[in-house]
Amino acid sequence: MSSETETVDEEAASERSPLDIWEDWYHVPVLSVLVAFMFWTRIQARDRFVSGDQILFRGNDAYYHLREIQYTVNNWPFTMGFDPWTHFPFGNASGGQFGSLFDQIVATAALVVGLGNPSDQTVRTVLLYAPAVFGTLTAIPVYYLGKHYAGRLSGVFGVLVYALIPGTILTRATVGFGDHHIAEAFFLSIALLMVARALRVAQREKPVYELVVDRDWETLRRPIVASVLAGVAIALYMWTWPPGVMFVGILGAFFALSLSVDYVRGRSPDHTAFVGVVSMATTLVMLVPKTGSLGFSTTTISLTQYFLVFAVGAGCAFMAWLAREWDDRDLSRLGYPGAIAGGILVGTVLLAVIVPDAFNLILNNVERVMAFGQSDTSRTVAEVQAVPLDSVGQYMTGQFGLTYLTAALGLFWLLSHLAFVGDDYRPDELLLVVLTVFFTLMALTQRRFFYYLAIPVFVLNAWVFGQIIRMLNVPTTVDRLGDIEGYQVITLVAVLLLVTVPLASPFAASTATSAATQTGPADSTYWAESGNWLQNNTPAPGTYGNPDGEPMEFYGTYEQTEDFDYPEGAYGVMSWWDYGHWITVEGERIPNANPFQQGPRPASAFFQTTNETRAELILEALPSLDDRDEHISNLSNEELRTIVDQQSQQEASEDTRYVMIDDQMASNKFSPITRWAGPNYADYVGVQEYTIGQNRTANLQGMNERFENTMLSRLYYHDGQQLSHYRLVHETESDTTILSLARQTQSGVESTGFINRRLTSQVYNSLQNPTSGLVPYDVRQESTVKTYERVEGATLEGSVNTTNATSVTAYVTLNGTADQRQFSYYQTVETDANGNFEMTVPYPTNETLGPEDGYTNSSVRAATNYTVFTGSLEDQDVQLVTGQTLFRNIDQPAQMGQADVPESAIHEGDTITVEMESLGGNATDGNATDGNTSTGNATDGDTSGGNTTDGNTTDGNTSDGSGSDGTTTTAAVDARQASVATP
């Protein structure tokens, strides 16, 4: 370049005014303000997730991501491929949507922040903020998408819409929601942008087959680079979420339609086909290092992804070839789309015949994701349930305000533009239409996909804004600002108000800033407490009953297998599948079921069984059961015994040792539990007489005797009374109130359908409203989470003087966690004709063992020895046990004895002989409890709460975020005679 030219350029640059510079760069400060606002919005609730030195997260999956991230920090850049610390006794291939690109990015960030050696606190902190960062960064591809389709100002407008939206794409991006959802949206928007740009470049550069044959790489350079970048972006999206292969399927539908339109309109399909072939080839290559399975799967990179990517790329090449053949034979262009449709149909039939497993997998996922199909999981998980068709408008408004209407306007406007534009037709605009249609179907089929639908909503709003500017001929350059007219300003202001006002206070039911605060750790608070106890007071897996055993390495690398061989002393923890990740991460123990939807059927069958013998058989047979078998609940006890008898030594050693139950399992979640095995929920509900208030009674709907006899109810509501192998070892100090509601009418009291549900602040406020007519009944107050240990049990044996079979009862008084309450365990058996009795009890009367011995440091301790006497007790009697009222509701016992049960006896199944003594006259003064005077009060009114998330994982039931927010009622007392305090 000559010096003269340089001088001219410098002079031109120096003559640029501030307005000229503003015209070039105005979007940078505007976007900076919007991005800063978005990040602040998404981190408002950060303090709710910090409790002392502990950092918690919202939901279940965040905890497993935490596990994967910590593993990756320890083994960077590799993620965990197989994890035996979940789905006992099989283990789980944890790659795919866990151990994904999201986890690698967060782990890398933690390593940077922690200077190569981050603490657990640092890793948790980085994950805490990661969703907000991803959610904020998504504004960048949103801007470029808006700019691509409608210009720079429209791109800014699209980001403005994004910043104000209060829907799912916001809630998934708030601090503490440590899941991959918002990372999906981020990488998906980049993939969409890259594909749209590649299509635009291809239409401009017009690559054709002959250029490839001639190796004219200079002419092909730009289309190749753009298409390769599109393929890389698609692969990164699938690295983040392997089921995102459905995006490839959508692209396949787009390419089939677009290439057909190209040919019918007299344009070469080669240009668009070039993008399809090169991008899919690139994606195919990039899938190789992330391959997790050589079978057909959707949750990890497998043959499913390889097949669909290859099919779309090959399909594009085939359509381009067929177009040339069609021309050579001078066939009607209108017949070309029909031939393509026929080819797709034939290919589908061949796939179904040759590879039926792959066909069924793809078909089932299409139905489940786009065609309103419902699986067992979708019926019990709120985020994957379909939107009721009569509520679509309500859901859309809640998600997008009125911007979904302007997006719908943009969709139809764009469709009409494509139909009549003629030679100016652009495939990238058709791509936006196709994606919008598919994402709408996905969002209506599974509510979680509203954060996918949000992307085309933003872009369509940007496109509409750009079209309005174009139609009005609004000046957008500095030198024309003086030409702007009043009607143009009024129109643009009206558009801005239409979009922004319905999303702003006080007009919006929920704004972005208010919606972002409605989050918190919810029930993970209580499960963190129980998990911490489990980690510190139970033996490490590999050492249960085997203190010299080798503990399993928590962050170890394990070889992948279908059925992991656990070492002696490893054990499972039975709970509902929702809580599996909490048990793994916070408890460092191995759950039988987990949120990968592994193990729900055996769990459902166990919790619903009304017989302890059968419950034991289910757990013993578990290592030999296929948990996908829908007929586990139909197996007879004899069939289960046969399975147990035929077990290998390895299977026989894989025991489940603990059971954990929370308030939701015993109330709101019991209905979803019944959908996996056993009877229907309706079989557990019946009409019976309840006390309303102090002395009124009414026949109302409630949980019937069948429910009360389930293992779930016997363990949670009845403290395991009469069970031989389950001892309570820990319960949270926080309590939950569970109740049913009736409504007072002029004709009396009637049921409302609110049966056996947790008391939340909303329910409490309704009860406080005198006009509601609501009255509580069947009120129960229990610890939020209870943990039981499954033991062999000690056998008490003895003999009483009797001429006929008679009842013999043993009971012991126990102090709960932190001595928050006293309660009594009892068991009653019948003697034989000779007066001999035998019973198995689970509680020791002295605690001498702990984790170092291979056993549990129980927080529940016996206050007395066992008292054994002739006669029986009911629940209501034992709950009133004191020195004065022990025998109030039974016949005077004729004989009594005492038993001291060492802790070793309950683990080894020892037998203890009880010496029974006859009592004469008014023989007892009731001092069977050594003067202990427990009244059975469950709590002193101390409550816990304050978490305000609306995110629950099952059946759509939502809460204000607290397992019990401390709100209770004084209207009634439950079977435990618990005082229920107001907040």
Side-chain angles (χ1 to χ4, degrees):
M1 180 181 292
S2 68
S3 59
E4 182 180 353
T5 304
E6 289 177 359
T7 303
V8 172
D9 288 343
E10 290 173 2
E11 290 176 355
S14 64
E15 292 174 358
R16 288 174 57 81
S17 69
L19 287 178
D20 293 326
I21 297 173
W22 172 256
E23 180 181 333
D24 291 340
W25 297 99
Y26 73 88
H27 60 290
V28 174
V30 174
L31 288 174
S32 298
V33 171
L34 289 174
V35 165
F37 168 75
M38 291 172 64
F39 185 68
W40 170 81
T41 298
R42 285 155 177 75
I43 66 170
Q44 289 178 91
R46 57 193 178 278
D47 291 341
R48 294 183 181 175
F49 293 92
V50 181
S51 177
D53 60 352
Q54 187 174 38
I55 295 176
L56 302 175
F57 301 93
R58 175 177 172 178
N60 316 98
D61 289 349
Y63 286 83
Y64 203 82
H65 279 292
L66 174 63
R67 174 162 171 74
E68 287 280 2
I69 290 163
Q70 185 63 66
Y71 178 90
T72 305
V73 166
N74 298 344
N75 301 273
W76 193 89
F78 302 103
T79 57
M80 187 184 301
F82 179 79
D83 190 5
W85 282 82
T86 190
H87 193 209
F88 185 87
F90 307 104
N92 172 64
S94 57
Q97 53 189 315
F98 289 86
S100 67
L101 181 60
F102 169 76
D103 301 298
Q104 289 173 310
I105 291 173
V106 178
T108 303
L111 284 166
V112 172
V113 173
L115 301 179
N117 187 29
S119 65
D120 176 72
Q121 191 82 349
T122 299
V123 174
R124 285 180 177 249
T125 301
V126 172
L127 178 58
L128 183 71
Y129 285 94
V133 173
F134 273 105
T136 303
L137 291 178
T138 304
I140 297 173
V142 167
Y143 163 74
Y144 281 106
L145 279 166
K147 179 184 177 183
H148 172 87
Y149 281 102
R152 193 165 39 146
L153 185 59
S154 296
V156 173
F157 182 78
V159 175
L160 173 65
V161 174
Y162 179 24
L164 297 177
I165 289 295
T168 303
I169 196 167
L170 168 69
T171 58
R172 292 297 192 272
T174 51
V175 65
F177 199 97
D179 209 337
H180 53 72
H181 296 173
I182 192 59
E184 292 173 45
F186 173 70
F187 284 105
L188 177 64
S189 59
I190 293 176
L192 172 58
L193 174 63
M194 292 296 102
V195 174
R197 283 192 164 184
L199 291 170
R200 181 79 62 86
V201 170
Q203 291 305 305
R204 183 176 65 247
E205 303 292 333
K206 295 181 171 45
V208 292
Y209 177 69
E210 287 75 12
L211 291 174
V212 177
V213 173
D214 294 341
R215 299 184 179 184
D216 189 351
W217 306 126
E218 180 59 30
T219 303
L220 293 173
R221 182 175 61 84
R222 288 188 178 87
I224 288 176
V225 170
S227 298
V228 167
L229 289 176
V232 169
I234 294 168
L236 292 178
Y237 165 62
M238 284 196 286
W239 281 15
T240 304
W241 194 56
V245 70
M246 54 84 188
F247 178 61
V248 175
I250 295 172
L251 288 178
F254 157 74
F255 282 121
L257 180 60
S258 182
L259 293 173
S260 297
V261 171
D262 276 338
Y263 187 74
V264 169
R265 289 191 170 183
R267 294 168 53 173
S268 172
D270 281 15
H271 315 326
T272 300
F274 183 89
V275 174
V277 172
V278 175
S279 64
M280 291 300 106
T282 305
T283 301
L284 204 61
V285 172
M286 288 196 62
L287 292 181
V288 173
K290 295 292 286 186
T291 301
S293 171
L294 295 180
F296 287 96
S297 172
T298 56
T299 57
T300 189
I301 302 298
S302 68
L303 294 182
T304 303
Q305 284 76 9
Y306 281 101
F307 171 77
L308 284 175
V309 172
F310 175 80
V312 172
C316 289
F318 172 77
M319 289 184 68
W321 170 82
L322 184 63
R324 291 168 178 268
E325 293 295 315
W326 213 265
D327 283 339
D328 290 343
R329 289 165 174 75
D330 199 24
L331 299 174
S332 170
R333 288 183 176 272
L334 295 178
Y336 178 80
I340 296 302
I344 293 173
L345 180 60
V346 170
T348 302
V349 172
L350 289 176
L351 177 65
V353 172
I354 299 172
V355 195
D357 289 344
F359 173 79
N360 290 330
L361 179 68
I362 294 171
L363 181 63
N364 290 339
N365 277 277
V366 169
E367 179 184 3
R368 186 172 60 86
V369 173
M370 298 183 187
F372 300 92
Q374 297 287 295
S375 64
D376 287 321
T377 301
S378 64
R379 291 197 299 268
T380 60
V381 181
E383 69 173 24
V384 296
Q385 290 178 352
V387 176
L389 293 181
D390 58 353
S391 303
V392 170
Q394 176 184 350
Y395 270 86
M396 288 290 190
T397 302
Q399 291 285 326
F400 307 118
L402 295 183
T403 61
Y404 83 94
L405 294 176
T406 50
L409 169 65
L411 179 65
F412 289 109
W413 192 348
L414 187 54
L415 272 171
S416 63
H417 169 74
L418 290 170
F420 300 108
V421 73
D423 292 339
D424 292 332
Y425 155 75
R426 283 169 37 185
D428 55 315
E429 292 180 334
L430 179 62
L431 173 65
L432 180 58
V433 170
V434 171
L435 281 175
T436 304
V437 172
F438 276 103
F439 286 174
T440 300
L441 289 174
M442 290 169 60
L444 296 180
T445 302
Q446 292 190 16
R447 300 174 195 180
R448 70 185 292 258
F449 289 122
F450 271 109
Y451 59 81
Y452 278 28
L453 181 57
I455 297 170
V457 166
F458 303 150
V459 178
L460 285 169
N461 273 275
W463 188 84
V464 169
F465 189 73
Q467 293 303 305
I468 291 174
I469 290 176
R470 184 183 63 81
M471 288 177 59
L472 295 175
N473 195 26
V474 177
T476 58
T477 58
V478 171
D479 59 342
R480 290 190 58 209
L481 285 179
D483 298 334
I484 195 167
E485 299 186 23
Y487 77 93
Q488 295 171 324
V489 174
I490 293 173
T491 303
L492 291 179
V493 170
V495 171
L496 287 171
L497 292 177
L498 176 66
V499 170
T500 59
V501 169
L503 296 173
S505 181
F507 301 98
S510 177
T511 65
T513 53
S514 63
T517 63
Q518 301 304 306
T519 187
D523 294 326
S524 63
T525 302
Y526 312 116
W527 279 86
E529 176 188 341
S530 293
N532 289 337
W533 179 90
L534 199 67
Q535 182 181 154
N536 295 315
N537 294 278
T538 63
T543 66
Y544 189 97
N546 181 31
D548 296 328
E550 185 71 25
M552 292 177 61
E553 189 177 351
F554 189 55
Y555 286 113
T557 300
Y558 298 90
E559 184 178 348
Q560 184 168 337
T561 177
E562 289 294 321
D563 187 357
F564 185 75
D565 287 339
Y566 286 87
E568 181 184 354
Y571 57 88
V573 179
M574 174 59 73
S575 188
W576 190 231
W577 64 266
D578 289 4
Y579 309 107
H581 295 339
W582 290 340
I583 293 169
T584 296
V585 177
E586 297 290 49
E588 295 191 8
R589 298 299 179 261
I590 312 173
N592 295 99
N594 60 40
F596 295 121
Q597 289 87 53
Q598 295 172 325
R601 297 192 193 284
S604 176
F606 171 81
F607 286 118
Q608 287 187 80
T609 187
T610 57
N611 181 278
E612 185 181 18
T613 299
R614 181 172 178 79
E616 287 290 281
L617 286 170
I618 290 172
L619 294 185
E620 290 173 9
L622 187 58
S624 307
L625 292 175
D626 183 348
D627 72 330
R628 294 163 295 184
D629 185 355
E630 298 185 11
H631 307 292
I632 290 174
S633 60
N634 295 331
L635 293 173
S636 68
N637 284 5
E638 276 306 312
E639 290 172 317
L640 289 171
R641 283 192 185 93
T642 300
I643 291 172
V644 172
D645 291 341
Q646 295 175 350
Q647 284 180 334
S648 67
Q649 183 177 355
Q650 174 66 39
E651 291 172 332
S653 68
E654 294 173 335
D655 292 320
T656 295
R657 289 298 182 184
Y658 297 91
V659 178
M660 301 183 77
I661 305 177
D662 79 338
D663 53 345
Q664 287 206 76
M665 290 171 61
S667 58
N668 301 44
K669 290 184 180 179
F670 183 67
S671 175
I673 288 174
T674 64
R675 296 178 192 175
W676 290 86
N680 295 322
Y681 177 73
D683 294 328
Y684 294 101
V685 178
V687 176
Q688 51 194 310
E689 186 176 80
Y690 289 95
T691 300
I692 305 294
Q694 295 299 318
N695 46 28
R696 286 188 300 162
T697 61
N699 290 322
L700 298 167
Q701 278 192 323
M703 307 309 292
N704 59 24
E705 185 176 0
R706 184 173 195 167
F707 171 78
E708 300 299 339
N709 287 330
T710 61
M711 286 295 291
L712 188 151
S713 179
R714 293 173 75 179
L715 292 172
Y716 188 75
Y717 288 122
H718 302 288
D719 292 325
Q721 304 296 0
Q722 297 274 28
L723 299 179
S724 298
H725 303 287
Y726 297 85
R727 67 160 178 159
L728 182 67
V729 290
H730 181 262
E731 55 185 347
T732 56
E733 295 185 39
S734 58
D735 281 0
T736 293
T737 299
I738 298 171
L739 75 168
S740 301
L741 293 180
R743 178 170 280 106
Q744 181 72 52
T745 65
Q746 291 182 347
S747 58
V749 181
E750 60 183 28
S751 296
T752 62
F754 188 96
I755 300 170
N756 193 49
R757 298 278 178 167
R758 296 195 307 175
L759 180 64
T760 64
S761 58
Q762 294 95 324
V763 175
Y764 176 76
N765 291 336
S766 297
L767 285 170
Q768 294 299 102
N769 182 359
T771 63
S772 70
L774 295 175
V775 290
Y777 66 96
D778 192 22
V779 182
R780 317 185 196 204
Q781 190 169 2
E782 301 287 344
S783 302
T784 308
V785 184
K786 294 185 177 184
T787 302
Y788 282 83
E789 182 182 15
R790 178 174 170 244
V791 296
E792 185 71 21
T795 298
L796 304 182
E797 67 173 15
S799 180
V800 298
N801 297 323
T802 181
T803 56
N804 297 298
T806 188
S807 297
V808 174
T809 297
Y811 83 91
V812 62
T813 301
L814 302 158
N815 291 324
T817 300
D819 293 334
Q820 64 180 3
R821 68 178 177 111
Q822 274 194 335
F823 66 100
S824 293
Y825 164 84
Y826 75 97
Q827 187 177 167
T828 300
V829 297
E830 293 293 311
T831 68
D832 62 18
N834 297 320
N836 299 318
F837 68 87
E838 188 176 277
M839 68 178 75
T840 302
V841 295
Y843 288 96
T845 53
N846 57 79
E847 299 279 344
T848 58
L849 303 176
E852 65 279 0
D853 305 300
Y855 296 109
T856 307
N857 179 28
S858 176
S859 295
V860 177
R861 304 288 179 115
T864 65
N865 287 337
Y866 279 90
T867 297
V868 185
F869 59 90
T870 54
S872 62
L873 286 173
E874 300 295 336
D875 276 2
Q876 62 267 27
D877 303 317
V878 86
Q879 296 299 345
L880 293 172
V881 167
T882 69
Q884 286 69 44
T885 63
L886 173 60
F887 305 127
R888 187 180 66 181
N889 295 322
I890 63 172
D891 294 333
Q892 181 70 33
Q895 299 167 68
M896 181 179 291
Q898 297 282 324
D900 181 15
V901 178
E903 187 170 6
S904 60
I906 68 165
H907 295 296
E908 298 172 7
D910 292 347
T911 298
I912 297 169
T913 301
V914 182
E915 298 295 335
M916 302 294 290
E917 297 181 0
S918 297
L919 302 175
N922 190 13
T924 183
D925 60 1
N927 289 324
T929 62
D930 279 21
N932 285 297
T933 57
S934 171
T935 61
N937 289 326
T939 181
D940 59 358
D942 184 38
T943 56
S944 175
N947 299 312
T948 57
T949 182
D950 60 356
N952 271 308
T953 57
T954 63
D955 83 335
N957 292 315
T958 57
S959 152
D960 61 347
S962 173
S964 172
D965 59 355
T967 56
T968 54
T969 173
T970 57
V973 291
D974 64 352
R976 295 171 67 178
Q977 302 295 303
S979 300
V980 186
T982 54

